[in-house]
Amino acid sequence: MRPPSSDPLPRAARRSRDRSAAPAPAVHRPAARRARALPAVLCLLAFPALAPVVAAPEARAADAVELPVLPSSVAADGRCTSASPRTAEAVPWTVAALGLDRGQRLSRGRGVTVAVVDTGVGVVVPSLKGRVRSLGAGGGSGDCVGHGTFAAGLIAGSPTEGAGPVGVAPEAEIVSVRAGNRQGQVTPGQLADAIREAADSGAGVVYVASALRTGERVLTDAVAHATGRDALVVAPAAPDSLAQDASGDPLPDVPWYWPASAPGVLSVLDYGPGGTRPEGAPTVAGADLAAPGDLVVGPGPVGRGHYIGSGSSLAAAHTAGAAALLRARHPELDAGEVARRLVSTAYPDTVPRLDPYAALTALPPSAAGKAPGPEAARAYRPPSSVPRDRSVLIALGAGCLVLLAGAAAVVVPRGRARGWRPGGAG
């Protein structure tokens, strides 16, 4: 986090005294000097006092230890994920990290449809109620695993009474497209079919939860189909956890995963409340963006309760929500321009960090065709109070000038009358 820059401070004026003038009236000089210097002292003290206001507090994970953990799949003979018995009342750290209080003043995703290609979406979840429709032979309705509902909540969950979590684009519409079976297993062919179906639904953003080790050709073709329909595909650059072999041992990392590595996909990695990736998380090179994905709070597949989850699939969900905000505010941008805007306005880091507010406020491309730039580079921190504090500093500075001018109005005439000689002379 960069410290705020300090403004130059005003300097106190010196007083003089006339050698030839008559002795000054009896005045306790130290007290008079302190009184005349008081405006300058107040100005000096006022600026450092603002430092705690400008400094941003550290982000924290909300209810992390109290919420049940979101599963990524269920056993073939296992029960579906049930309602969480706990509701997160605190505002999650992700809200501040993404600057949602500012970004949602500019856009809330209205008029944009986001397709969720995942395990399905629960249609009766309070934060999504009335904004979910399902596609597919089995209908994407219902969510046995819970991951799709969780991701949809991160993308478009609306505020609910007594709960802190809220989605990035709370007025966006959700199209649920289940990829694979009810237990959460999916093949490259099934995933490709789901991406095509999502694009054909008219969705402006297609969120894909999976990161597969195989399927380059079929998934690249599916992404090309979506791009041809002006749908932006957002996918995790790496899986949430490493796949396991028949003996239960984790398979080694591979250099790329699909569909994230296909041309036209906006690929995303996760980071946590401390700004770093979780220990042991699958790693890849070349991700386009990083977004909050560790210790993330979202809704369960049924009921009002919440779960906690981690992984790049959840970071991709936040990014899909940001894409919906941008497409709602700037409908003239096509899918490729939306992706470039999100990347070009991200906070510079090893993997650039998503900054929805900067993307929403970036200047449009110039006539010369230059890429849009961010309104200002922003470090990862809760919403900045710099504009407010700058106004306070300007007001204080103006007040100090008025006080100093008033002091000078008293000191200067007396100095002229005394010939500008020091007060202790003669």
Side-chain angles (χ1 to χ4, degrees):
M1 212 177 299
R2 294 184 178 90
S5 59
S6 58
D7 292 329
L9 298 176
R11 289 178 289 184
R14 297 180 180 178
R15 59 185 291 274
S16 302
R17 178 174 181 268
D18 186 359
R19 290 175 180 267
S20 59
V27 176
H28 184 51
R29 297 187 187 279
R33 289 170 183 162
R34 285 197 299 269
R36 285 192 289 270
L38 182 59
V41 172
L42 291 175
C43 291
L44 290 169
L45 293 176
F47 286 88
L50 288 176
V53 178
V54 176
E58 294 183 359
R60 298 177 298 173
D63 301 337
V65 297
E66 299 180 1
L67 298 174
V69 177
L70 174 74
S72 58
S73 64
V74 295
D77 57 350
R79 295 181 179 179
C80 293
T81 303
S82 60
S84 169
R86 296 184 179 274
T87 300
E89 298 179 359
V91 176
W93 69 274
T94 52
V95 171
L98 293 170
L100 296 186
D101 65 334
R102 295 175 298 163
Q104 289 177 354
R105 295 173 192 167
L106 303 175
S107 174
R108 295 174 66 84
R110 176 171 295 184
V112 176
T113 298
V114 181
V116 175
V117 180
D118 203 336
T119 59
V121 176
V123 297
V124 295
V125 174
S127 63
L128 297 170
K129 191 173 182 179
R131 291 184 293 123
V132 179
R133 61 187 176 96
S134 304
L135 301 178
S141 62
D143 185 6
C144 183
V145 178
H147 191 280
T149 307
F150 191 103
L154 299 182
I155 295 169
S158 60
T160 57
E161 185 177 358
V166 61
V168 177
E171 293 182 2
E173 300 290 325
I174 294 293
V175 169
S176 174
V177 185
R178 182 182 295 144
N181 60 26
R182 294 178 70 253
Q183 286 72 42
Q185 287 82 31
V186 61
T187 66
Q190 291 172 328
L191 185 59
D193 290 342
I195 293 172
R196 289 173 179 272
E197 187 173 17
D200 290 342
S201 73
V205 181
V206 176
Y207 161 75
V208 180
S210 302
L212 305 183
R213 301 166 65 90
T214 59
E216 174 181 358
R217 182 174 178 178
V218 67
L219 290 171
T220 298
D221 289 346
V223 170
H225 177 85
T227 302
R229 286 172 174 53
D230 194 30
L232 174 60
V233 179
V234 183
D240 294 347
S241 60
L242 290 175
Q244 298 179 342
D245 59 21
S247 63
D249 294 327
L251 296 171
D253 275 332
V254 295
W256 45 76
Y257 292 88
W258 307 95
S261 298
V265 176
L266 192 59
S267 61
V268 190
L269 281 177
D270 59 322
Y271 66 82
T276 59
R277 297 203 68 213
E279 185 177 353
T283 58
V284 293
D288 296 311
L289 285 173
D294 186 33
L295 299 179
V296 173
V297 178
V302 291
R304 292 178 49 85
H306 295 91
Y307 282 80
I308 189 162
S310 295
S312 293
S313 68
L314 306 183
H318 282 128
T319 305
L325 293 180
L326 190 53
R327 298 215 79 165
R329 182 169 172 82
H330 294 288
E332 74 280 4
L333 299 178
D334 63 27
E337 290 169 331
V338 170
R340 287 189 291 273
R341 177 78 68 95
L342 291 171
V343 173
S344 68
T345 59
Y347 177 74
D349 205 335
T350 304
V351 180
R353 295 189 182 184
L354 176 68
D355 188 342
Y357 181 75
L360 290 168
T361 55
L363 296 175
S366 68
K370 293 182 179 179
E375 180 187 41
R378 290 176 173 82
Y380 162 65
R381 58 188 177 189
S384 173
S385 59
V386 169
R388 181 199 64 190
D389 299 328
R390 186 180 292 118
S391 299
V392 173
L393 290 174
I394 291 172
L396 284 173
C400 289
L401 290 175
V402 172
L403 291 173
L404 291 173
V410 174
V411 173
V412 171
R414 296 188 62 182
R416 286 175 176 170
R418 297 176 180 177
W420 300 101
R421 297 189 57 189

